[in-house]
Amino acid sequence: MINDPSLSDLRLFCVVARRASFAGGAREAGVSQALASKRVAQLERALGVTLLRRTTRKVSLTDEGQRVLDWAQRILEDVDDMRDELSRAAREPQGPIRVSSSARLGREVVAPALSSLKRRYPGIDIWLELLDRRVDLVGESFHLDVRAGEVAEPHLIGHLIARNAHIVCAAPSYLARRGVPQTLSDLAAHDCVLLREREEPFGLWRLSGPDGLEQVKVKGPLASNDIDVVLRWARDGFGLVKASQWLLAPSLAQGALVRVLPQYEHSAHIYAVSTVRSAQSAKVRLCVQALRQQMDPTMAYTDDNRQSR
């Protein structure tokens, strides 16, 4: 008698494969490591193949495991789509939604938006992962990646969340000591507090001004991959900083930072990025709506504000 694989075991296998770890997969799935191992072994018996190579530190996919993973992801997407369609009819969306973002954007915008979404639609199960890199939406099974900057991938859709730009600022104490830069080239002679972020080149500032897009190589005594640290150092007067307007707004309002070179900025609109298929999901559409309301409830959006490439 053939034992058909269960959907729950397929879903757990996908999590373990993505994490390359039974311990990590079990934590994400909310089960014990022993149960995760037992259920994947049960799936292997049902399919009659070995899915994972096990070592003391991690697991890796066998050739058969990769084929099963590809099939399992398609099967689970179809099941989620079916649930979406039925829940639309019942007007109560259900099922999982996986979202990724950078740390600060995730904490400040995405997390509270997802709280609002969960309160309104308790049947939606939410996973938010904060990463310092761009994710593979398909390979890592994310529905949305919330990011600042244009959507360069031709196979993805960018749903506009809010208009935003990178601008240059400094503390009044720094400007009193070192002077105010008048041109973009002046930045090369100034101290700059540098942020190492997701996919941006380190120490190269790109800004658009009267002559179009320009870039300047900058340097400084302080650098970090954490935006809160960088903003703290800038407020303390250690140098110029380039960052998103939405992050700088409180410091500008308090006078802790002052904008310089106001004729220069670099577009960094905030998008929730999805695959074409995920864009059809009711859960994804509701999540995008919640993100827009969280970021700026006064802004009116339509589907025409999507960036598709």
Side-chain angles (χ1 to χ4, degrees):
M1 181 178 176
I2 298 176
N3 294 318
D4 291 331
S6 73
L7 289 175
S8 59
D9 287 348
L10 285 174
R11 198 178 294 277
L12 180 57
F13 163 67
C14 288
V15 174
V16 171
R18 185 173 63 251
R19 293 292 184 183
S21 163
F22 276 106
R27 281 194 299 271
E28 179 175 332
V31 299
S32 69
Q33 184 175 343
L35 180 58
S37 180
K38 178 180 178 181
R39 286 174 55 184
V40 171
Q42 178 178 301
L43 179 62
E44 289 177 319
R45 287 193 298 273
L47 296 173
V49 295
T50 299
L51 301 174
L52 298 169
R53 301 184 189 92
R54 296 157 171 83
T55 68
T56 55
R57 291 190 175 184
K58 66 175 185 178
V59 298
S60 60
L61 289 166
T62 63
D63 291 342
E64 292 82 2
Q66 183 62 60
R67 287 196 290 271
V68 171
L69 178 62
D70 293 340
W71 273 104
Q73 288 176 328
R74 291 197 293 270
I75 290 167
L76 293 170
E77 283 181 356
D78 285 339
V79 170
D80 289 341
D81 287 348
M82 177 185 67
R83 183 183 286 133
D84 251 359
E85 185 172 330
L86 293 173
S87 65
R88 278 199 299 270
R91 301 191 181 280
E92 182 57 39
Q94 296 181 4
I97 184 166
R98 288 175 48 85
V99 183
S100 64
S101 188
S102 60
R104 183 64 183 276
L105 191 58
R107 289 194 301 267
E108 297 284 336
V109 176
V110 183
L114 294 178
S115 290
S116 298
L117 183 68
K118 181 64 176 177
R119 279 194 294 269
R120 187 171 181 183
Y121 302 104
I124 296 178
D125 298 321
I126 295 167
W127 174 269
L128 172 62
E129 191 150 349
L130 304 184
L131 302 166
D132 61 356
R133 61 177 175 83
R134 294 279 171 87
V135 300
D136 177 355
L137 285 169
V138 176
E140 298 181 70
S141 300
F142 283 103
H143 295 92
L144 287 171
D145 180 38
V146 184
R147 63 173 79 157
E150 300 304 306
V151 183
E153 300 93 329
H155 61 291
L156 299 179
I157 293 177
H159 310 264
L160 181 62
I161 301 302
R163 293 170 181 84
N164 178 58
H166 284 173
I167 59 174
V168 181
C169 298
S173 61
Y174 174 85
L175 298 175
R177 187 173 73 253
R178 294 292 303 275
V180 179
Q182 301 299 315
T183 67
L184 195 64
S185 60
D186 289 348
L187 297 181
H190 276 265
D191 287 337
C192 296
V193 184
L194 303 179
L195 173 67
R196 185 181 295 278
E197 53 186 341
R198 274 186 154 197
E199 304 294 327
E200 294 297 315
F202 182 68
L204 187 67
W205 285 3
R206 295 172 175 166
L207 294 158
S208 294
D211 298 321
L213 181 63
E214 300 179 59
Q215 61 186 34
V216 58
K217 183 69 176 175
V218 296
K219 61 185 185 300
L222 295 169
S224 175
N225 67 338
D226 187 284
I227 186 61
D228 290 311
V229 171
V230 168
L231 292 180
R232 171 62 184 268
W233 286 338
R235 289 192 296 266
D236 287 345
F238 287 108
L240 299 160
V241 64
K242 181 172 78 76
S244 289
Q245 285 177 312
W246 76 271
L247 283 172
L248 293 165
S251 296
L252 290 170
Q254 296 161 10
L257 293 175
V258 177
R259 184 173 182 180
V260 300
L261 298 174
Q263 70 273 36
Y264 285 95
E265 63 180 37
H266 185 55
S267 174
H269 299 326
I270 297 171
Y271 291 94
V273 183
S274 74
T275 63
V276 175
R277 178 169 182 166
S278 289
Q280 311 306 313
S281 165
K283 296 190 300 289
V284 167
R285 291 197 297 272
L286 290 169
C287 186
V288 169
Q289 181 180 353
L291 287 164
R292 289 170 176 166
Q293 291 171 346
Q294 179 66 36
M295 194 72 199
D296 189 346
T298 67
M299 295 180 72
Y301 292 89
T302 69
D303 285 343
D304 292 336
N305 284 320
R306 296 190 315 176
Q307 175 186 347
S308 177
R309 292 180 176 230

